Amino acid sequence: MLTSKLLGLAVILSLVGPSAAFADPTPGTPGCVIGWSAGQCVYSVEDDGHPPKTSVKTTPGAKKTSETAACVWEGQVVPCRTGDGFFDAASGCYLRPLAGPRSLVSPSKVSDYPAGTKFYECWLILGIDEGKPIVQITPESVNRPPGETQTIDPRVAARRVVESMNFVAPQLGLSPYVQSADRVGIVNVPVWMWVTDPGATTTGPQTKVAALGGVSITATGTVDRIEWSMGEGETVTCKGAGTPFTKAMATGKSLKDMPSSPTCGFRYSKTSHCEKSGKYNVTATAYWTVHWTGGGMQGDIPLDFSRSIPLQIADLRPVLVDPDGGSASPSVGPRGCSG
Protein backbone atom coordinates (compact mmCIF):
# COMPACT_ATOMS: atom_id res chain seq x y z
CA MET A 1 0.00 0.00 0.00
CA LEU A 2 1.25 3.45 -0.85
CA THR A 3 1.57 5.86 2.04
CA SER A 4 2.15 9.59 2.21
CA LYS A 5 3.19 11.93 4.98
CA LEU A 6 4.07 15.53 5.75
CA LEU A 7 7.74 16.15 6.41
CA GLY A 8 9.04 18.59 8.99
CA LEU A 9 11.40 21.29 7.85
CA ALA A 10 15.04 20.31 8.28
CA VAL A 11 17.57 23.09 8.51
CA ILE A 12 20.36 21.09 6.89
CA LEU A 13 21.76 22.28 3.58
CA SER A 14 24.69 19.89 3.15
CA LEU A 15 24.45 16.70 1.14
CA VAL A 16 26.75 14.31 2.95
CA GLY A 17 27.13 10.66 3.80
CA PRO A 18 27.63 7.55 1.67
CA SER A 19 24.15 7.83 0.18
CA ALA A 20 24.60 11.39 -1.11
CA ALA A 21 24.42 11.93 -4.83
CA PHE A 22 26.81 14.89 -4.63
CA ALA A 23 30.42 15.04 -3.56
CA ASP A 24 31.25 16.81 -0.30
CA PRO A 25 31.76 20.57 -0.76
CA THR A 26 35.14 22.19 -0.32
CA PRO A 27 35.45 23.13 3.39
CA GLY A 28 35.07 26.80 4.20
CA THR A 29 33.92 29.76 2.19
CA PRO A 30 36.55 31.23 -0.13
CA GLY A 31 37.31 34.91 0.16
CA CYS A 32 38.20 37.68 -2.21
CA VAL A 33 41.70 39.12 -2.41
CA ILE A 34 42.77 42.10 -4.45
CA GLY A 35 45.75 42.96 -6.60
CA TRP A 36 45.85 46.48 -5.13
CA SER A 37 47.50 48.26 -8.05
CA ALA A 38 44.85 47.12 -10.53
CA GLY A 39 41.87 46.78 -8.20
CA GLN A 40 41.31 43.32 -9.68
CA CYS A 41 39.70 40.75 -7.42
CA VAL A 42 40.99 37.18 -7.51
CA TYR A 43 38.29 34.84 -6.26
CA SER A 44 39.85 31.58 -5.05
CA VAL A 45 37.75 28.43 -4.84
CA GLU A 46 40.18 26.25 -2.96
CA ASP A 47 42.87 26.99 -0.38
CA ASP A 48 45.85 24.68 -0.34
CA GLY A 49 47.01 26.04 2.99
CA HIS A 50 50.07 27.81 1.59
CA PRO A 51 50.51 31.59 1.56
CA PRO A 52 50.07 33.35 -1.80
CA LYS A 53 53.15 33.83 -3.96
CA THR A 54 52.18 37.41 -4.80
CA SER A 55 51.55 40.28 -2.44
CA VAL A 56 47.82 40.86 -2.00
CA LYS A 57 45.59 42.73 0.40
CA THR A 58 42.17 41.75 1.60
CA THR A 59 39.37 44.15 0.89
CA PRO A 60 39.50 46.96 3.49
CA GLY A 61 36.38 47.45 5.54
CA ALA A 62 34.65 44.47 3.97
CA LYS A 63 31.67 43.14 5.86
CA LYS A 64 31.88 39.44 6.59
CA THR A 65 28.89 37.72 5.03
CA SER A 66 28.26 34.04 4.51
CA GLU A 67 27.48 32.19 1.34
CA THR A 68 24.00 30.66 1.39
CA ALA A 69 22.52 27.75 -0.55
CA ALA A 70 19.34 25.69 -0.58
CA CYS A 71 17.75 22.81 -2.51
CA VAL A 72 14.98 23.70 -4.94
CA TRP A 73 12.01 21.65 -6.22
CA GLU A 74 9.92 23.29 -8.98
CA GLY A 75 11.12 26.72 -7.95
CA GLN A 76 10.47 26.24 -4.22
CA VAL A 77 13.06 25.76 -1.51
CA VAL A 78 12.96 22.35 0.21
CA PRO A 79 15.14 20.68 2.87
CA CYS A 80 18.23 19.06 1.38
CA ARG A 81 17.92 16.12 3.77
CA THR A 82 15.07 14.67 5.79
CA GLY A 83 14.41 11.46 7.65
CA ASP A 84 13.56 9.88 4.30
CA GLY A 85 16.94 10.57 2.74
CA PHE A 86 18.71 13.21 0.64
CA PHE A 87 17.06 15.36 -2.00
CA ASP A 88 17.70 14.28 -5.61
CA ALA A 89 16.78 16.88 -8.22
CA ALA A 90 16.94 14.39 -11.12
CA SER A 91 14.17 12.17 -9.76
CA GLY A 92 12.32 14.70 -7.59
CA CYS A 93 12.66 12.27 -4.68
CA TYR A 94 14.23 11.95 -1.31
CA LEU A 95 16.47 8.91 -1.78
CA ARG A 96 17.54 6.27 0.74
CA PRO A 97 19.93 3.41 -0.13
CA LEU A 98 18.48 -0.07 -0.70
CA ALA A 99 20.24 -3.42 -0.76
CA GLY A 100 18.61 -4.30 -4.09
CA PRO A 101 16.05 -3.21 -6.70
CA ARG A 102 12.36 -2.83 -5.93
CA SER A 103 9.53 -3.17 -8.45
CA LEU A 104 5.89 -4.31 -8.49
CA VAL A 105 5.86 -4.58 -12.27
CA SER A 106 9.00 -6.53 -13.05
CA PRO A 107 10.63 -7.94 -9.90
CA SER A 108 14.37 -8.49 -10.25
CA LYS A 109 17.49 -9.27 -8.26
CA VAL A 110 20.79 -7.48 -7.76
CA SER A 111 22.44 -10.07 -10.03
CA ASP A 112 20.22 -8.89 -12.90
CA TYR A 113 22.05 -5.53 -12.94
CA PRO A 114 25.66 -4.63 -13.82
CA ALA A 115 28.09 -4.78 -10.94
CA GLY A 116 28.24 -1.48 -9.10
CA THR A 117 24.62 -0.48 -9.72
CA LYS A 118 23.16 1.48 -6.80
CA PHE A 119 19.55 1.20 -5.66
CA TYR A 120 17.50 3.77 -3.79
CA GLU A 121 14.10 3.95 -2.16
CA CYS A 122 12.22 6.96 -3.56
CA TRP A 123 10.00 9.27 -1.53
CA LEU A 124 8.50 11.31 -4.36
CA ILE A 125 7.65 14.97 -3.70
CA LEU A 126 3.99 15.63 -4.54
CA GLY A 127 3.80 19.24 -3.47
CA ILE A 128 4.75 21.87 -0.88
CA ASP A 129 2.54 22.88 2.02
CA GLU A 130 3.64 25.93 4.04
CA GLY A 131 7.23 25.36 3.02
CA LYS A 132 7.17 21.63 3.86
CA PRO A 133 7.34 18.89 1.20
CA ILE A 134 4.53 16.34 0.95
CA VAL A 135 6.03 13.01 -0.14
CA GLN A 136 4.84 9.56 -1.13
CA ILE A 137 6.87 6.41 -1.44
CA THR A 138 6.95 4.83 -4.89
CA PRO A 139 6.77 1.10 -5.67
CA GLU A 140 9.73 1.40 -8.04
CA SER A 141 13.25 1.98 -6.80
CA VAL A 142 15.57 4.53 -8.40
CA ASN A 143 18.46 2.58 -9.92
CA ARG A 144 21.74 4.25 -10.83
CA PRO A 145 23.94 2.24 -13.21
CA PRO A 146 27.72 2.17 -12.69
CA GLY A 147 29.75 4.59 -14.78
CA GLU A 148 27.03 7.22 -14.77
CA THR A 149 28.46 10.74 -14.81
CA GLN A 150 29.35 11.72 -11.28
CA THR A 151 27.59 14.96 -10.35
CA ILE A 152 29.55 17.28 -8.11
CA ASP A 153 27.95 19.37 -5.39
CA PRO A 154 26.18 22.29 -7.13
CA ARG A 155 27.67 24.66 -4.56
CA VAL A 156 31.19 23.69 -5.62
CA ALA A 157 30.23 24.06 -9.29
CA ALA A 158 28.71 27.47 -8.57
CA ARG A 159 31.84 28.75 -6.86
CA ARG A 160 33.94 27.63 -9.82
CA VAL A 161 31.62 29.39 -12.26
CA VAL A 162 31.83 32.57 -10.16
CA GLU A 163 35.62 32.24 -10.12
CA SER A 164 35.61 32.38 -13.92
CA MET A 165 33.48 35.55 -14.05
CA ASN A 166 35.22 38.88 -14.63
CA PHE A 167 34.79 41.30 -11.74
CA VAL A 168 36.88 44.48 -11.44
CA ALA A 169 36.98 47.23 -8.83
CA PRO A 170 35.46 50.37 -10.40
CA GLN A 171 37.47 53.41 -11.47
CA LEU A 172 36.60 56.41 -9.32
CA GLY A 173 35.60 59.96 -10.15
CA LEU A 174 35.62 62.86 -7.68
CA SER A 175 34.42 66.37 -8.56
CA PRO A 176 37.60 68.24 -7.45
CA TYR A 177 39.41 66.36 -10.20
CA VAL A 178 37.19 68.29 -12.64
CA GLN A 179 36.95 71.62 -10.85
CA SER A 180 40.58 72.14 -9.99
CA ALA A 181 43.73 71.74 -12.07
CA ASP A 182 45.73 70.87 -8.95
CA ARG A 183 43.08 68.39 -7.81
CA VAL A 184 42.24 70.09 -4.54
CA GLY A 185 38.82 70.00 -2.91
CA ILE A 186 37.50 72.69 -0.61
CA VAL A 187 36.09 72.38 2.92
CA ASN A 188 32.25 72.57 2.95
CA VAL A 189 32.06 72.51 -0.87
CA PRO A 190 30.12 69.51 -2.24
CA VAL A 191 32.17 66.58 -3.51
CA TRP A 192 30.48 64.40 -6.11
CA MET A 193 31.48 60.71 -6.27
CA TRP A 194 30.83 58.41 -9.18
CA VAL A 195 32.10 55.36 -11.09
CA THR A 196 33.80 56.41 -14.32
CA ASP A 197 33.60 52.99 -16.00
CA PRO A 198 30.15 51.56 -15.20
CA GLY A 199 29.43 48.24 -16.88
CA ALA A 200 29.01 44.51 -16.43
CA THR A 201 32.40 44.00 -14.73
CA THR A 202 32.25 46.99 -12.36
CA THR A 203 28.62 47.75 -11.54
CA GLY A 204 26.75 44.83 -13.10
CA PRO A 205 24.62 43.05 -13.82
CA GLN A 206 26.73 40.19 -15.13
CA THR A 207 25.46 36.69 -16.03
CA LYS A 208 27.29 33.49 -16.90
CA VAL A 209 25.93 30.03 -17.76
CA ALA A 210 28.27 27.04 -17.61
CA ALA A 211 28.20 23.27 -17.08
CA LEU A 212 30.68 21.74 -14.65
CA GLY A 213 30.83 18.20 -13.32
CA GLY A 214 27.45 17.30 -14.74
CA VAL A 215 25.75 20.38 -13.27
CA SER A 216 24.51 23.35 -15.33
CA ILE A 217 24.92 26.59 -13.38
CA THR A 218 23.42 30.00 -14.13
CA ALA A 219 25.04 32.78 -12.09
CA THR A 220 23.99 36.45 -12.11
CA GLY A 221 25.92 39.10 -10.18
CA THR A 222 24.40 42.44 -9.21
CA VAL A 223 25.84 45.31 -7.16
CA ASP A 224 23.90 45.87 -3.94
CA ARG A 225 25.65 49.13 -3.01
CA ILE A 226 28.90 51.07 -3.21
CA GLU A 227 30.35 52.27 0.09
CA TRP A 228 32.69 55.26 -0.05
CA SER A 229 35.10 55.56 2.89
CA MET A 230 36.04 59.25 2.77
CA GLY A 231 39.30 58.92 4.70
CA GLU A 232 38.36 60.99 7.75
CA GLY A 233 36.11 58.47 9.46
CA GLU A 234 32.88 58.96 7.52
CA THR A 235 31.34 56.42 5.11
CA VAL A 236 28.76 57.22 2.42
CA THR A 237 26.57 54.44 1.02
CA CYS A 238 25.35 54.89 -2.57
CA LYS A 239 22.90 52.63 -4.36
CA GLY A 240 24.27 53.11 -7.85
CA ALA A 241 27.26 54.34 -9.84
CA GLY A 242 26.65 57.99 -8.92
CA THR A 243 26.25 61.07 -11.11
CA PRO A 244 29.29 62.43 -13.01
CA PHE A 245 30.23 66.07 -12.34
CA THR A 246 31.18 68.31 -15.29
CA LYS A 247 32.79 71.73 -15.55
CA ALA A 248 29.54 73.11 -16.97
CA MET A 249 27.88 72.53 -13.60
CA ALA A 250 30.30 75.01 -11.99
CA THR A 251 30.14 77.69 -14.69
CA GLY A 252 28.94 81.04 -13.31
CA LYS A 253 28.56 79.72 -9.75
CA SER A 254 30.43 80.69 -6.62
CA LEU A 255 31.67 77.98 -4.27
CA LYS A 256 28.72 78.54 -1.92
CA ASP A 257 26.34 77.96 -4.82
CA MET A 258 27.89 74.68 -5.94
CA PRO A 259 25.14 72.02 -6.12
CA SER A 260 25.29 68.75 -4.21
CA SER A 261 25.24 65.45 -6.05
CA PRO A 262 21.68 64.11 -6.44
CA THR A 263 22.85 60.52 -6.00
CA CYS A 264 26.23 60.24 -4.25
CA GLY A 265 28.01 63.12 -2.52
CA PHE A 266 29.81 64.40 0.56
CA ARG A 267 31.08 67.60 2.23
CA TYR A 268 34.34 67.64 4.17
CA SER A 269 34.29 69.63 7.41
CA LYS A 270 38.07 69.81 7.84
CA THR A 271 41.17 69.92 5.68
CA SER A 272 43.48 66.99 4.99
CA HIS A 273 46.73 68.81 5.84
CA CYS A 274 47.12 66.84 9.07
CA GLU A 275 47.03 63.51 7.26
CA LYS A 276 50.37 61.74 6.88
CA SER A 277 50.38 62.32 3.12
CA GLY A 278 48.51 65.60 3.32
CA LYS A 279 45.59 63.93 1.55
CA TYR A 280 42.61 61.77 2.44
CA ASN A 281 42.62 58.22 1.11
CA VAL A 282 39.17 57.75 -0.44
CA THR A 283 38.17 54.10 -0.89
CA ALA A 284 35.10 52.87 -2.76
CA THR A 285 33.96 49.27 -2.20
CA ALA A 286 31.39 47.69 -4.51
CA TYR A 287 29.39 44.99 -2.74
CA TRP A 288 28.03 42.29 -5.08
CA THR A 289 25.64 39.38 -4.64
CA VAL A 290 25.95 36.56 -7.16
CA HIS A 291 22.73 34.52 -7.24
CA TRP A 292 23.09 31.08 -8.80
CA THR A 293 20.81 28.17 -9.69
CA GLY A 294 21.54 24.65 -10.89
CA GLY A 295 21.51 20.99 -9.93
CA GLY A 296 18.29 21.41 -7.99
CA MET A 297 19.82 24.07 -5.76
CA GLN A 298 20.19 27.84 -5.59
CA GLY A 299 22.27 30.17 -3.50
CA ASP A 300 23.97 33.53 -3.06
CA ILE A 301 27.68 34.29 -3.03
CA PRO A 302 28.72 37.71 -1.66
CA LEU A 303 31.76 39.49 -3.16
CA ASP A 304 33.31 42.92 -2.70
CA PHE A 305 35.85 44.89 -4.73
CA SER A 306 37.70 48.07 -3.70
CA ARG A 307 39.80 50.84 -5.19
CA SER A 308 41.39 53.89 -3.52
CA ILE A 309 42.54 57.32 -4.66
CA PRO A 310 44.04 60.26 -2.70
CA LEU A 311 42.19 63.53 -2.34
CA GLN A 312 43.55 66.78 -0.91
CA ILE A 313 41.06 69.03 0.89
CA ALA A 314 42.02 72.65 1.57
CA ASP A 315 40.38 75.55 3.36
CA LEU A 316 39.82 78.93 1.66
CA ARG A 317 40.93 81.82 3.89
CA PRO A 318 40.65 85.57 3.43
CA VAL A 319 43.81 87.36 2.30
CA LEU A 320 44.81 90.80 3.68
CA VAL A 321 46.10 93.16 0.95
CA ASP A 322 48.44 96.04 1.76
CA PRO A 323 46.85 99.22 0.23
CA ASP A 324 50.38 100.64 -0.23
CA GLY A 325 51.30 97.80 -2.56
CA GLY A 326 52.97 95.50 -0.06
CA SER A 327 52.82 91.73 -0.29
CA ALA A 328 49.57 89.92 0.52
CA SER A 329 49.33 87.73 3.58
CA PRO A 330 46.69 85.43 5.00
CA SER A 331 44.52 86.84 7.76
CA VAL A 332 45.45 83.94 10.06
CA GLY A 333 48.40 81.61 10.30
CA PRO A 334 48.40 77.95 9.30
CA ARG A 335 46.36 75.63 11.47
CA GLY A 336 48.18 73.18 13.70
CA CYS A 337 47.62 69.47 14.04
CA SER A 338 46.65 68.06 17.40
CA GLY A 339 47.14 64.51 18.61
Side-chain angles (χ1 to χ4, degrees):
M1 177 181 296
L2 301 183
T3 60
S4 63
K5 62 182 180 180
L6 189 67
L7 299 181
L9 180 64
V11 190
I12 302 176
L13 298 181
S14 59
L15 306 177
V16 296
S19 63
F22 302 122
D24 289 339
T26 303
T29 300
C32 169
V33 295
I34 294 176
W36 200 248
S37 61
Q40 173 79 41
C41 177
V42 180
Y43 189 74
S44 176
V45 174
E46 297 180 356
D47 184 1
D48 60 6
H50 300 289
K53 296 180 181 179
T54 57
S55 177
V56 296
K57 296 182 180 180
T58 56
T59 303
K63 294 184 178 180
K64 302 300 182 181
T65 53
S66 301
E67 176 182 342
T68 59
C71 291
V72 180
W73 176 84
E74 294 190 355
Q76 300 186 69
V77 174
V78 296
C80 288
R81 180 180 289 276
T82 72
D84 294 302
F86 61 89
F87 174 70
D88 176 60
S91 62
C93 300
Y94 284 95
L95 300 182
R96 189 158 50 191
L98 292 173
R102 176 186 294 167
S103 175
L104 297 180
V105 179
S106 55
S108 56
K109 300 175 295 185
V110 173
S111 58
D112 296 331
Y113 294 84
T117 299
K118 295 181 179 180
F119 309 98
Y120 298 95
E121 178 181 73
C122 167
W123 285 88
L124 182 67
I125 300 178
L126 303 179
I128 307 295
D129 182 23
E130 296 183 351
K132 301 176 182 179
I134 301 173
V135 301
Q136 180 173 279
I137 194 171
T138 65
E140 304 288 327
S141 60
V142 171
N143 308 322
R144 297 284 165 79
E148 190 173 271
T149 301
Q150 177 65 33
T151 301
I152 67 172
D153 189 316
R155 291 164 294 182
V156 174
R159 289 196 291 270
R160 292 178 181 171
V161 170
V162 172
E163 181 190 26
S164 68
M165 298 174 73
N166 185 21
F167 298 99
V168 182
Q171 297 285 347
L172 310 182
L174 295 173
S175 55
Y177 281 28
V178 177
Q179 296 176 43
S180 170
D182 52 3
R183 298 184 175 182
V184 176
I186 308 298
V187 169
N188 290 325
V189 175
V191 174
W192 293 38
M193 298 101 73
W194 70 95
V195 173
T196 63
D197 58 344
T201 61
T202 55
T203 56
Q206 180 183 165
T207 298
K208 184 164 186 177
V209 180
L212 293 174
V215 178
S216 179
I217 297 292
T218 298
T220 298
T222 55
V223 171
D224 299 323
R225 67 194 185 281
I226 299 178
E227 292 187 359
W228 295 75
S229 175
M230 305 311 296
E232 40 68 274
E234 295 289 335
T235 298
V236 179
T237 300
C238 302
K239 287 297 183 182
T243 304
F245 186 91
T246 64
K247 289 183 178 180
M249 296 177 180
T251 302
K253 294 184 175 66
S254 64
L255 289 178
K256 67 182 182 63
D257 293 327
M258 289 296 296
S260 297
S261 170
T263 54
C264 189
F266 184 72
R267 291 174 185 256
Y268 284 94
S269 61
K270 60 182 180 179
T271 70
S272 60
H273 81 283
C274 288
E275 297 296 309
K276 186 175 182 180
S277 63
K279 299 177 181 180
Y280 289 122
N281 189 48
V282 180
T283 301
T285 302
Y287 288 91
W288 292 71
T289 296
V290 182
H291 182 75
W292 62 267
T293 59
M297 297 186 74
Q298 67 179 5
D300 293 303
I301 297 176
L303 302 173
D304 54 83
F305 309 89
S306 297
R307 191 184 297 274
S308 297
I309 56 175
L311 175 62
Q312 182 180 355
I313 298 294
D315 194 3
L316 292 183
R317 303 184 185 182
V319 174
L320 299 180
V321 179
D322 187 343
D324 297 325
S327 60
S329 62
S331 60
V332 296
R335 294 180 180 177
C337 298
S338 59

